């Protein structure tokens, strides 16, 4: 099973907007950064899963935030 999941969200200029670590498999982001809602647009996320056997897997993709 999975041990930790880390999610980092960046804006189109590469600024980090969100960073979370979960040990229960749940990764959530509500479209905010530092307590304020972000503007609609395209954001890049990086999801890293660290498995119990010591291996890890990283995925990078984009998402579109709409309101």
């Amino acid at each position: 099973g999975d041990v930790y999941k880390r999610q980092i969200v960046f804006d189109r200029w590469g600024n980090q907007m969100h960073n979370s670590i979960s040990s229960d498999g749940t990764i959530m982001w509500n479209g905010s950064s530092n307590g304020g809602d972000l503007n609609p647009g395209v954001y890049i996320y990086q999801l890293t899963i660290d498995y119990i056997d010591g291996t890890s897997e990283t995925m990078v993709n984009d998402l579109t935030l709409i309101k």
Side-chain angles (χ1 to χ4, degrees):
D2 303 344
V3 176
Y4 289 103
K5 293 184 179 181
R6 294 185 306 268
Q7 180 188 49
I8 306 172
V9 178
F10 302 93
D11 66 12
R12 61 182 162 178
W13 296 282
N15 299 308
Q16 185 174 302
M17 302 282 97
H18 174 77
N19 188 345
S20 64
I21 298 175
S22 170
S23 61
D24 67 3
T26 304
I27 294 286
M28 307 268 297
W29 179 54
N30 64 2
S32 68
S33 180
N34 296 321
D37 289 340
L38 293 175
N39 291 325
V42 177
Y43 294 83
I44 306 300
Y45 69 88
Q46 174 181 310
L47 177 65
T48 301
I49 304 168
D50 295 326
Y51 295 102
I52 199 164
D53 66 1
T55 62
S56 65
E57 181 178 7
T58 299
M59 295 158 267
V60 177
N61 210 334
D62 61 85
L63 61 91
T64 301
L65 180 64
I66 58 176
K67 297 183 181 186

